[in-house]
Amino acid sequence: MVALALGIPRVRRAPSLDGRPDVPELIDGHGRTARDLRISVTEKCSLRCTYCMPEQGLPAIPRDDLLSATEIARLVGIAVRDLGVRDIRFTGGEPLMRADLAEIIGLSSAVADGASISMTTNGIGLDHRIRSLVDAGLGRINISLDTVDRDHFARLTRRDRLPAVFAGIEAAKAAGLTPLKINAVLMRDTLGGAADLLAWALENGVRLRFIEQMPLDADEQWARDDMVDAAKLVDALSARFTLSRPHRDDPSAPAEDWVVDGGPATVGIIASVTRSFCEACDRTRITAEGTVRSCLFGDDETGLRALLRGGADDHEIAQLWRAAQWGKQAGHGMSRPDFVRPLRSMGAIGG
Ligand code: SAM
């Protein structure tokens, strides 16, 4: 029952190194190399965003199934030292729901060997913890915010916590984590407030990025025909701002940046559904229970926790991770007629 609700995947095929060149990096069979690691540290969240979480929250992962701070840091060390990962991002659920987050970051940054350490968060409670997180080694932060209208925020997230998010944003800026990126999900419900959100972002000196809604909502309401795409957002913003042609400096960076009102400010648009960037994907993921999920949309996960707890050495763990990544699927496949949405929702994977 719990496994079903969390979307714990069916095992489809055993990870294999067959045909893989013997190189240390996390390469896959489609010519890509993963340098960017997302690690989910919990399934718990302080919000219940309709496009992500079920109203009652995700079923709790049994405490013993969650990776500990030490286990997470061991995987970070293997990723950086043995697999060539350069960026580490903690996510969830909501990473601030982990009381030992500073310890996770501290132990991880001690073995990160120059890799960047960042976090994606809703910002709630960040003002009380930012100092300890930065002292532990947190270098960058993205905060998710879909609307600056308090009533709308309460409806969308099923929690009246907008002032707490603003406090978190101010704390991140005051701690010097700038330029601060704000992520907003683009959907029918947020399109109307998109220009207000951009005006607020410009006033507050933060970098706003919209991301097309993906079929990763626990409530399974997403429908291709109903989704708001990047083109509709550009139309909506253009009624109030002058947007000039986008550019993408780094081909693996998902956001296209549009210059606003002649610059220097920009607004990012991540058209993950309609202009897929899968061919340049450089991500690998670890779920809160310690499975490698090489693609957001790939349900065939590979568990590392048993090795971590069973006395395996770092080389064995690295080899299994390499095999899992080698089998990464080519893309999300959303434009295919036979597309089947993944079993896990975004909050259960780690966005
Ligand atoms: N709780 C943290 C937060 O709010 O940023 C981290 C986890 S959250 C799952 C990570 C990101 O995924 C957020 O920016 C959220 O808006 C985004 N997200 C969740 N569901 C999504 C969906 N169905 N489509 C696109 N983005 C989604």
Side-chain angles (χ1 to χ4, degrees), residues 156-344:
L156 199 63
T157 64
R158 301 170 172 129
R159 299 285 187 274
D160 182 18
R161 304 299 307 276
L162 183 60
V165 177
F166 283 150
I169 290 170
E170 284 311 313
K173 284 166 61 182
L177 296 183
T178 52
L180 186 62
K181 286 187 186 160
I182 301 289
N183 294 340
V185 176
L186 175 60
M187 52 194 289
R188 202 157 295 288
D189 201 20
T190 54
L191 187 64
D196 286 344
L197 186 58
L198 178 54
W200 169 85
L202 298 177
E203 262 169 44
N204 287 274
V206 296
R207 279 203 196 153
L208 178 62
R209 305 174 329 153
F210 288 93
I211 177 163
E212 286 177 347
Q213 188 195 0
M214 295 181 279
L216 292 168
D217 54 317
D219 293 342
E220 303 198 5
Q221 294 301 304
W222 183 93
R224 184 76 168 81
D225 294 344
D226 191 44
M227 71 161 281
V228 176
D229 60 21
K232 291 200 188 81
L233 174 69
V234 171
D235 283 351
L237 295 179
S238 298
R240 201 146 131 205
F241 303 95
T242 304
L243 299 185
S244 41
R245 287 206 63 73
H247 63 277
R248 200 187 288 220
D249 289 340
D250 167 4
S252 65
E256 282 183 340
D257 287 324
W258 293 70
V259 175
V260 183
D261 290 342
T266 57
V267 59
I269 303 184
I270 305 179
S272 29
V273 179
T274 58
R275 287 199 291 276
S276 140
F277 39 86
C278 297
E279 69 286 349
C281 181
D282 65 349
R283 296 209 177 136
T284 186
R285 292 171 191 274
I286 297 286
T287 65
E289 310 98 317
T291 63
V292 179
R293 190 171 174 107
S294 57
C295 171
L296 255 186
F297 290 83
D299 280 327
D300 50 342
E301 296 180 6
T302 302
L304 298 184
R305 196 181 60 214
L307 288 190
L308 278 169
R309 295 181 184 174
D313 63 21
D314 288 359
H315 176 72
E316 287 170 82
I317 294 171
Q319 282 297 83
L320 187 55
W321 199 336
R322 288 185 184 108
Q325 196 73 18
W326 178 238
K328 176 170 171 142
Q329 62 193 50
H332 56 49
M334 274 186 261
S335 56
R336 292 166 48 142
D338 59 348
F339 171 73
V340 181
R341 51 177 295 146
L343 291 170
R344 282 193 195 244

Side-chain angles (χ1 to χ4, degrees), residues 5-26:
L6 265 176
I8 291 183
R10 297 164 287 231
V11 174
R12 288 185 185 155
R13 59 175 186 274
S16 157
L17 292 166
D18 279 358
R20 182 187 182 280
D22 187 18
V23 294
E25 288 85 8
L26 280 177

Side-chain angles (χ1 to χ4, degrees), residues 94-111:
E94 171 49 50
L96 290 168
M97 298 297 280
R98 278 276 299 238
D100 59 352
L101 183 60
E103 186 187 356
I104 293 173
I105 292 173
L107 293 175
S108 298
S109 64
V111 292

Side-chain angles (χ1 to χ4, degrees), residues 72-91:
I72 291 171
R74 185 168 170 209
L75 291 181
V76 168
I78 293 170
V80 173
R81 200 178 44 245
D82 300 326
L83 302 172
V85 163
R86 301 309 307 151
D87 295 297
I88 314 289
R89 176 171 295 274
F90 295 109
T91 181

Side-chain angles (χ1 to χ4, degrees), residues 86-160:
R86 301 309 307 151
D87 295 297
I88 314 289
R89 176 171 295 274
F90 295 109
T91 181
E94 171 49 50
L96 290 168
M97 298 297 280
R98 278 276 299 238
D100 59 352
L101 183 60
E103 186 187 356
I104 293 173
I105 292 173
L107 293 175
S108 298
S109 64
V111 292
D113 195 24
S116 73
I117 303 260
S118 61
M119 167 168 92
T120 299
T121 174
N122 61 31
I124 294 174
L126 186 61
D127 45 336
H128 302 296
R129 298 176 65 189
I130 188 83
R131 187 40 46 210
S132 65
L133 301 181
V134 171
D135 288 349
L138 183 69
R140 285 186 292 131
I141 199 163
N142 287 0
I143 298 185
S144 306
L145 175 64
D146 303 310
T147 174
V148 286
D149 178 278
R150 186 166 174 172
D151 290 337
H152 186 205
F153 183 95
R155 284 197 307 280
L156 199 63
T157 64
R158 301 170 172 129
R159 299 285 187 274
D160 182 18

